[in-house]
Amino acid sequence: MKKRGMGRYIFLALIAPGVLFITVFMLIPLFWVILSTFQEGGSFSLNNYISLLDSVYFRQVFGRSVRLSLLSTGLCALLGFPAAYYISRYSRHKGMMMALAIFPMFTSPVIRSFSWMVILGRKGIVNQALVGLGLFARPQSLLYNEFSMTVGFVQLFLPQMILSLLGVMDAIPTDLTEAAGSLGATRLVAFLRIVFPLSVSGLVTGAVLVFTGCMTAYTTPQLLGATDTQVLSTMVYQYAMSLRDWAQASAVAMVMIVVTLAVSTLFNRLSRRINPLAA
Amino acid sequence: MPLLELRNITAGYDRNIILRGFNLEVEKGEFVSLLGSSGCGKTTTLRLIAGFSEPNEGSIIFGGRDITHVPLHRRNFGFVFQSYALFPHMTVFDNVAFGLKMRKVPKAEMRKRVMDMLALVDLEGFEDRYPREMSGGQRQRVALARAMVIQPDLMLFDEPLSNLDAKLRVRMRVEIRRIQQELGFTAIYVTHDQEECFAISDKVAIMNQGVIEQMDTPANIFNGPKTEFIARFVGFENFFDLKAEGGAWLTDSGAPIRLTQRTEGSAVKACIRPEDVLIGPPDAGFENSVPGEVLVSTFLGRHVQYNVRTAIGEFAVKAEQDHVYSIGAQVSLGLIANKIIPIPQTNC
Ligand SMILES: Nc1ncnc2c1ncn2[C@@H]1O[C@H](COP(=O)(O)OP(=O)(O)O)[C@@H](O)[C@H]1O
Ligand SMILES: [Mg+2]
């Protein structure tokens, strides 16, 4: 009994610093931000939100943010699934392959955006190849638009998707796909019916990570986008730093939080429908 | 013509060769067990037959057709895994129905066949459960039903009972044998449990170092092992050399031994089980008598085991409890003539 009591104190002592840190530097400021968005001139008001929703420009930015984040999440899932499956099933040099997959995470997003500028620029290798192959007469503008932003997002967050998927796929015994094969399933069918549903929990984790990452990323849309391709995170910066409108900035931040939470919940719902045992 | 034939198979992992010049023939309707110690290549063999892997050399013939390179999903063999390998995200019904769905069996027929199969393995009423809601024995029966419902041309079992407790194991093996005889399928059953495989099989193939050393009916293997390895495997513990001289068999110390089995050659290794050796006082007057001295005596419940040193080697003897000899006692051993099994020297 006594020992148990001791354990309790040690447990509290261990989690206290973390809880304290999060409370002081995250929960209290967040609460303040939430509160401030519902105020105007010292009294309760929804004006911050009403003016946002009224603005066509905001609705455009909002739509672009969600659209690009969903698109990037989808692309990461599409690219990440085969990669993770290959690494978990067939790769002999698993450690090596994993290191390669997550290697981009060791580079700063700023540097990665700059490399895309080099690659996608008018004199970059992509344009040189397109013109050289005679597909286009003149270099195309591949930079500072939604295309380059999506490319940047996908490259930025693909490792997270692969790691999340790898985590669950490694736990699927090879017996299961072999059993499916002996029952008449081709490799593709075995993948779709066994591996895919059992990987859904990893897919959801990855999708939430990628989606939140895309929604909140700042450097990538700032460096690879333009003024006419603003997203919510760059808009927050603009309101706060350029326009000094902290109330509007906070309201936009709130919208970001709500959207992120809503979409994460949606992903979880979907996963439960595919595989009732996942998560 | 055998139903299944493995011809001169060489197989392994990377540079590690496990099977070398491996041959096996299985007749239609037979229940054949592959018996061997852990790591001798039983699973490797079964996986080749199933099509999970391909041999480096040799061919696999099934029903007269070379299936060496036929992909596994087109072989129509049922496989029962040691780990059950049930699909955790599907109910019992969907697990069993999986193979039928792959074969595009109509809904109504599928339902009937799944339910019939669940009834056969005594799992009626469990169709909506998930595998994790079932016990080990029940899971194994689901695995059995799932493999059998596709009416496979061949059933492959890889130590299907080794994760169950001893009592359930005995019940399940009787069950498997009953279903096999009821449905009449051909089966290859891998195990390292000698009792299990002798109880269940028409034929037993004993594997050693990547080849089959002997394949025969359980009784023939039990009573007539062809190699020293097999003999040890089925409980022979006493081995001694005999040579032919003037129409009689003599031990190394020159004592004559009468054999009842006709034996060719000029020299054999003979063996006998501990329970087939009599023990008595030096003047007991046994046939095939060998004098010796008791080294160790071990109490085994109904029996006592003596280890006796003789001029032709140490003998293990299993005697009734009322034969009491202390350590160091001089005794005489009697080797029962028709229980002595000669092993031709070429096979040692
Ligand atoms: N995937 C594998 N990679 C490398 N070696 C393996 C693999 N599976 C089994 N082996 C080796 O092959 C040998 C035979 O294995 P296995 O056929 O599983 O034996 P058994 O089923 O008779 O116990 C063992 O020595 C084992 O270490
Ligand atoms: Mg094995």
Side-chain angles (χ1 to χ4, degrees), chain B residues 29-185:
Chain B
E30 256 182 355
F31 198 114
V32 174
S33 283
L34 286 181
L35 178 64
S37 48
S38 185
C40 74
K42 304 181 298 292
T43 299
T44 306
T45 309
L46 212 59
R47 292 174 57 84
L48 284 172
I49 300 171
F52 297 156
S53 57
E54 282 190 15
N56 301 345
E57 278 169 47
S59 46
I60 304 173
I61 314 291
F62 187 84
R65 203 163 67 93
D66 188 330
I67 59 159
T68 317
H69 303 293
V70 171
L72 84 143
H73 65 273
R74 282 204 253 119
R75 293 199 185 187
N76 199 39
F77 296 168
F79 200 102
V80 180
F81 294 80
Q82 183 174 359
S83 59
Y84 319 139
L86 297 179
F87 307 133
H89 57 301
M90 295 184 194
T91 60
V92 168
F93 183 93
D94 288 334
N95 264 282
V96 178
F98 189 88
L100 298 178
K101 276 183 193 149
M102 294 300 115
R103 284 162 180 72
K104 307 213 159 44
V105 173
K107 269 256 162 62
E109 187 195 337
M110 180 169 83
R111 178 148 198 95
K112 184 175 167 0
R113 277 170 71 178
V114 170
M115 294 319 245
D116 286 352
M117 197 43 79
L118 286 176
L120 187 70
V121 296
D122 207 14
L123 281 178
E124 282 162 306
F126 285 87
E127 55 270 16
D128 292 328
R129 296 250 193 128
Y130 282 95
R132 57 164 186 183
E133 300 166 340
M134 306 185 84
S135 72
Q138 290 171 331
R139 281 182 215 187
Q140 193 53 288
R141 277 182 280 158
V142 176
L144 213 60
R146 183 179 68 177
M148 290 187 308
V149 78
I150 61 171
Q151 297 171 344
D153 299 320
L154 180 65
M155 278 291 287
L156 305 167
F157 297 88
D158 190 5
E159 310 210 18
L161 307 182
S162 58
N163 287 341
L164 305 178
D165 64 59
K167 229 163 142 186
L168 195 56
R169 212 151 53 215
V170 173
R171 225 175 58 207
M172 283 292 294
R173 78 180 187 218
V174 175
E175 202 71 340
I176 290 179
R177 181 61 162 162
R178 173 181 70 81
I179 295 172
Q180 187 258 338
Q181 283 173 342
E182 197 172 321
L183 302 182
F185 56 76

Side-chain angles (χ1 to χ4, degrees), chain A residues 238-260:
Chain A
Q238 198 186 27
Y239 273 127
M241 297 323 223
S242 310
L243 306 175
R244 298 275 159 194
D245 187 345
W246 287 93
Q248 270 314 354
S250 302
V252 176
M254 275 304 296
V255 171
M256 283 169 68
I257 292 173
V258 170
V259 170
T260 312

Side-chain angles (χ1 to χ4, degrees), chain A residues 113-126 143:
Chain A
S113 297
F114 276 127
S115 16
W116 280 117
M117 291 182 189
V118 175
I119 294 169
L120 297 176
R122 287 196 174 269
K123 290 185 182 147
I125 51 165
V126 175
L143 262 182

